[in-house]
Structure formats: structure tokens, C-alpha cells
Amino acid sequence: MQEGMKNGCAGAPAVLLERISTLLAEGTVARVLGWKAGDMAYNPEPAYFETQEALKDFVYDGFCGANLSKYMIEASKLEGKTLVCLKPCDTYSFNQLLKEHRVDREKAYIIGVGCGGKLDVEQIRRKGIKGIQSIDGAQLVWEESDPGTELKGIGDDVLTIRTIYGEKTLPYGEALLERCHVCKGKEHRVYDELIGQSRDTKDADRFAQVERIEAMSPEEKFAFFQQELSKCIRCNACRNVCPACSCRKCVFDSNKFDSSQKANADSFEEKMFHIIRAFHVAGRCTDCGECSRVCPQGIPLHLFNRKFIKDINELYGTYQAGENAEDKMPLTSFDFGDAEPGIVGERG
Amino acid sequence: MPMKDEFKPKIVAFCCNWCSYAGADLAGSSRLTYPADVKIIRVPCSCRVNPMFILRAFEKGADGVILCGCHPGDCHYSTGNYYARRRMTLLFSMLDYLGVENGRTRVEWVSAAEGVKFSQTMNEFVEKIHSLGKNVRLEDLRCRKE
Ligand code: SF4
Ligand code: SF4
Ligand code: FES
């Protein structure tokens, strides 16, 4: 771990930092895409590093949930290779971008970093812990050997949280991002080298919530979504962060479609934005969880994406976007024997 | 004379130019009737219909939206309706998931020779919408008259 990290940030494991520093010094890569300390210990942010000196701010700890693959669209246009750190789930997004010809594989040097589950400060707050000043226990402890291996679960790991009301503790496993509970697995799908180990974090079924909603009456469904979507302030953060939302000109920025920047002017716009946003990424969404992570209003956007994923799995065969960079996408392909749209009513 | 508050559904039918629009034409020239509540919008192919068209139709006050295209295998652009079929299935399923009655949306394949099927489908659909009543869940609230 580095000395004197800003704001009590946990820094990065030495093996990772040393390797990155070497690759930069050798000139294998022109820059590094990683995370740097933010204003608080719990909000490191995506950043470029171009010199070894700058790497003193480099962070990789339990709060590095941000998926860096979308930044590779712009980085692919830069001179030289960009070293990018990708967690197992982030590599699905990178593959999907490769498939859509939005990133250049030759311009990326991918370090697949181990992941032991990423933390969610909102989840910590939801546990009633307010006035957070610093958090201990988010640093990663890696053994030097066997990169890419998966270790046992989170076990008894505990976060120690210093707040203005005194010190609190919380088991690491209770502070995870929703997406880590339904992790797709700790295997990196694309990389140049692997550093660090991962831990198993999956302890829930990713379609359980969708199934619960499907079982509701139309009135209950409507009430549930109206309640959630009424919170939307149309900040567009969910779209901006999404690696699948990479169109050069987005329909939600177009005056022609009359849908740009309409804050929840009426109940229709609220729904329309969300249906169309989810539809535009259907079959391409890797379920990376970034949209739900960044929503300032805490809207569970994954419930939209996963409904499409579940339907695609059931109707057109199991499909995981980003698993590889070759498979045909379900909405740009078809089968002669596909179900008719009337099946929606028949399924009940 | 119709009662003042009788429900007059507004139905939008997107019809592909090559089959279903011609089918509607045939229905007309064969003097088969279908309710005047059905407003036809001609599109080059069923695949032209983007999910936003369907949602916008509801926003502008439609109570039901139906998409008609060539039978699978007969699309004049070879495969357009196969793609449309997947898209509409997923869209309808999403609407259902959001609590919007799924009877308000429908897809039907109607060929240029099927004037009878066209008129039957429209009659059936209008009846269905009558039974569901006015669409309030997806309508733009600002535009409501009451
Ligand atoms: S991030 Fe949340 S509040 Fe912002 S537009 Fe998306 S859903 Fe709405
Ligand atoms: S829609 Fe959300 S979960 Fe899906 S790829 Fe985009 S940010 Fe990730
Ligand atoms: S031309 Fe009729 S559905 Fe494609």
C-alpha cells in the first residue's frame, strides 16, 4: 500500500502498483486507466495516469466499483496503448464493446484485477450508518502467487467505519453492491495478464426480484414502478455510465424525437425514458450493474434490464452479453420458429 | 345516436406497405367493414416500427396499438418481420411487466390477399379495446381532457 494516500483511501496492492509502474516505465503502455482517490475514502474515481510519479494517487480497493471499459472507447482513439484495469464483470462490458466495434483490442493492455466484491456506500448508509468520515477494511489483501484464482468467500471480514457519531462496524458482506450478490463469476473474459485473487460473493439469484414482480397483479406492478420511477430526475447518469449506451448521438439528446432532457414532466415521460433506455441495451446489457450503482435516486434499474435478459433467456435461449466477442446478439438475429408476440398474454 | 360519454377507442394500426396495407385496401374494395376508430399508419416494413412509435402512439392518446406485416417468410425485405417479431415480443412483455394491460398491443401477419383477415382482426381488436376501456396508464397526463 502506498504511503500518505488522500482521505484515508486504502491505496492499491503493491503487486499491482509495481507491475503497472513497470509497464509504464518500459513504454509498453502510454497511459494507465485506473482509479484515483476521491474526496472521501469511499469514492475513488476513474482516472488516467501518464507518469510513474502520478501513480502515487492510484487506488484499487473495495470501493472501486466503477467499470472502466466505456472509457476505452475514447482511449482507443489515442496514440499508443492504454493499460486498463478490469474486474471480472468489467471484462464482459469490454467484450461487448469489442463485438460492437467500439473499442480497439490492439489499443488496450488489459490487466484483469482480482475482485473480492465491491462496496456500496449507500448500502452502508441504509444500515443506519451516517456521518461517515473514514472507512477501514476496504483494502485488498492479495497473496503473491496464483493470480486469477478464486478464494473462499468473504468470511468474517469487517469494515470499521469512523463517523461523526463514533465508530461503527459492519460485516463486509453486508456492504456489497447489489450486483456482487448476483455476480456472474470471477473469471475474466478478456485480458493480457491477471493480477490478484478474487473471492466468491454470489449468494442470491439474479432473477428473484424480477420473478417477484412478475407474480404481482397488473395494479401492483403499475404501483410499484410508478413509485420507483417517480423518483427519477432525468439526470441521465444511468445512460452516461452505461457501457452499452455508447451511441455517438443518443435519442435522448435529440430534439427531433422530442425526448431530450425532459425531467419528469409527466408520468408518461418517466416510463418512456426507462422503457426505451432498457430496450436500447436489450441483448447488449451485460448486467454490469453500473446504472443502479450510479443512480442518485436509488432506482433499481437492473429490474428493467434483467426483465429483458430473463425474457431473452426463456424465449431465445440462454444468452450472456459479453461472455465472448463473437456470438450473435439476440436482437440482431432471429429464428424461423420464434414465438409470436401473443405469447406474452398466453404466459399469463 | 351515440350517448355523449360513450367510449370511442382510438386505435393505431401500423401496416406494412407491401402486405397488410394492401390487405386493408382489399378489405375496403371488397366492402368488408372495420370500425372507423382504426387509424392506419403505413410503414415500409413491419421492421420500421421502432418501440418508440408504439409508445408515442399511446402517449398521443391511443387506446390500442396493432402492428401488421407480411407473414413470416414473406417480408419484402426478406427478414424484416423476423426482427420485428422479437422486438415486439420483448416490448409487449415489458409493458405487461410494468402493469400495462397487454391486450392493448398486438401483432398480426396479414397478406395482401387477406382482406377478410384484416377486417376480422380489426373488429376483434376494437372489441378487445372496448372491453379494456380507456388507456390511462400510458397516456400523457397533460393531454387529458377531463
Ligand atoms: S440515474 Fe437515476 S435519476 Fe438519473 S436519469 Fe437514470 S434513473 Fe433517473
Ligand atoms: S444497462 Fe446498466 S447493467 Fe446494463 S450494461 Fe448498461 S450500465 Fe451495465
Ligand atoms: S415488407 Fe411487410 S413485413 Fe417487411
Side-chain angles (χ1 to χ4, degrees):
Chain A
M1 205 186 305
Q2 301 109 294
E3 293 304 314
M5 261 336 266
K6 202 169 136 194
N7 304 323
C9 202
V15 264
L16 176 62
L17 203 56
E18 277 158 26
R19 183 65 185 139
I20 289 175
S21 184
T22 309
L23 287 164
L24 197 57
E26 283 172 0
T28 310
V29 298
R31 69 197 67 76
V32 172
L33 183 48
W35 304 266
K36 71 169 194 218
D39 298 336
M40 302 295 272
Y42 51 76
N43 60 6
E45 57 199 38
Y48 281 114
F49 304 88
E50 294 189 332
T51 60
Q52 280 178 293
E53 158 69 3
L55 283 174
K56 69 178 191 321
D57 294 328
F58 183 92
V59 174
Y60 182 57
D61 68 6
F63 283 104
C64 292
N67 175 350
L68 303 177
S69 42
K70 188 176 188 178
Y71 294 85
M72 284 308 298
I73 297 175
E74 287 307 312
S76 293
K77 298 173 192 158
L78 301 175
E79 201 62 47
K81 272 190 192 255
T82 302
L83 184 156
V84 59
C85 298
L86 298 180
K87 303 184 290 295
C89 55
D90 303 340
T91 61
Y92 286 76
S93 311
F94 188 87
N95 259 346
Q96 185 59 32
L97 287 164
L98 265 181
K99 190 184 298 191
E100 294 166 13
H101 310 287
R102 299 308 312 276
V103 294
D104 184 350
R105 181 68 184 88
E106 298 304 310
K107 287 290 187 73
Y109 190 95
I110 302 171
I111 294 202
V113 288
C115 175
K118 294 299 167 212
L119 299 161
D120 181 3
V121 71
E122 293 307 327
Q123 184 59 24
I124 297 174
R125 293 194 177 116
R126 254 175 255 131
K127 298 276 174 185
I129 301 176
K130 308 275 153 120
I132 301 170
Q133 291 176 312
S134 69
I135 301 179
D136 252 349
Q139 69 273 23
L140 305 176
V141 189
W142 286 345
E143 288 140 36
E144 297 270 342
S145 60
D146 293 338
T149 51
E150 193 166 319
L151 307 174
K152 60 167 182 24
I154 282 163
D156 308 326
D157 280 11
V158 169
L159 296 172
T160 307
I161 304 153
R162 209 156 54 79
T163 77
I164 52 175
Y165 310 108
E167 207 171 87
K168 310 266 165 81
T169 57
L170 188 67
Y172 194 103
E174 285 183 30
L176 289 179
L177 284 164
E178 190 278 342
R179 71 176 190 230
C180 299
H181 289 290
V182 299
C183 181
K184 291 185 282 289
K186 297 292 189 289
E187 192 188 325
H188 293 82
R189 295 289 166 167
V190 55
Y191 59 87
D192 291 293
E193 59 182 280
L194 295 175
I195 299 184
Q197 292 97 0
S198 296
R199 290 187 301 198
D200 180 23
T201 57
K202 183 174 187 316
D203 59 5
D205 171 29
R206 95 167 143 142
F207 297 118
Q209 277 173 291
V210 174
E211 277 161 17
R212 241 189 329 265
I213 296 167
E214 284 172 342
M216 292 179 182
S217 72
E219 289 68 33
E220 289 169 329
K221 289 175 181 169
F222 189 76
F224 172 79
F225 281 109
Q226 199 171 44
Q227 156 83 18
E228 288 297 340
L229 296 183
S230 301
K231 294 187 253 171
C232 177
I233 52 173
R234 267 309 289 281
C235 63
N236 285 345
C238 50
R239 177 203 64 178
N240 293 353
V241 80
C242 174
C245 280
S246 58
C247 297
R248 289 202 185 98
K249 179 97 186 155
C250 174
V251 63
F252 296 116
D253 290 332
S254 160
N255 296 329
K256 212 164 76 201
F257 280 92
D258 201 25
S259 50
S260 66
Q261 294 303 338
K262 277 198 185 168
N264 45 2
D266 54 70
S267 76
F268 186 84
E269 280 301 327
E270 282 164 24
K271 283 214 172 50
M272 165 122 125
F273 172 74
H274 289 282
I275 300 170
I276 297 295
R277 186 203 63 79
F279 199 94
H280 282 193
V281 298
R284 308 191 299 118
C285 164
T286 63
D287 203 4
C288 73
E290 284 290 88
C291 46
S292 298
R293 180 182 70 86
V294 300
C295 177
Q297 297 294 86
I299 300 173
L301 292 155
H302 53 272
L303 295 180
F304 289 83
N305 308 321
R306 286 188 199 152
K307 170 63 178 165
F308 280 130
I309 295 172
K310 183 169 178 285
D311 278 344
I312 288 170
N313 285 349
E314 287 172 4
L315 295 165
Y316 311 124
T318 306
Y319 180 82
Q320 171 59 57
E323 201 163 47
N324 58 52
E326 293 83 37
D327 284 357
K328 277 196 142 191
M329 291 178 268
L331 273 135
T332 51
S333 55
F334 60 84
D335 197 272
F336 294 132
D338 281 343
E340 293 295 329
I343 194 171
V344 174
E346 290 155 22
R347 285 196 304 184
Chain B
M1 215 178 86
M3 302 233 307
K4 234 186 163 186
D5 55 355
E6 197 193 330
F7 171 50
K8 292 278 290 163
K10 288 199 201 79
I11 313 278
V12 174
F14 290 100
C15 293
C16 120
N17 181 41
W18 303 106
C19 283
S20 310
Y21 194 76
D25 220 21
L26 181 64
S29 54
S30 322
R31 301 183 162 271
L32 297 164
T33 55
Y34 62 89
D37 310 324
V38 179
K39 311 290 176 208
I40 296 182
I41 298 179
R42 185 168 61 150
V43 287
C45 172
S46 61
C47 190
R48 174 68 185 89
V49 175
N50 136 358
M52 194 99 126
F53 290 8
I54 310 263
L55 298 183
R56 279 286 180 229
F58 281 118
E59 181 194 9
K60 304 290 182 204
D63 299 300
V65 181
I66 180 164
L67 168 60
C68 299
C70 314
H71 283 264
D74 294 342
C75 170
H76 288 58
Y77 306 94
S78 305
T79 54
N81 49 10
Y82 289 122
Y83 294 107
R85 184 163 65 178
R86 282 201 172 185
R87 280 183 214 150
M88 292 305 133
T89 306
L90 291 181
L91 178 67
F92 295 178
S93 177
M94 178 54 81
L95 292 177
D96 181 55
Y97 181 68
L98 296 175
V100 178
E101 310 91 331
N102 63 53
R104 292 191 188 279
T105 46
R106 181 162 167 184
V107 168
E108 206 60 60
W109 313 119
V110 180
S111 80
E114 293 177 321
V116 176
K117 182 174 183 189
F118 186 86
S119 106
Q120 264 172 8
T121 303
M122 293 305 156
N123 280 307
E124 252 176 58
F125 191 56
V126 170
E127 207 171 296
K128 174 83 190 170
I129 301 302
H130 257 291
S131 73
L132 288 172
K134 194 158 176 51
N135 167 40
V136 285
R137 297 224 165 125
L138 264 175
E139 195 193 339
D140 183 339
L141 294 178
R142 290 171 307 172
C143 296
R144 256 159 80 193
K145 303 248 156 48
E146 297 85 39

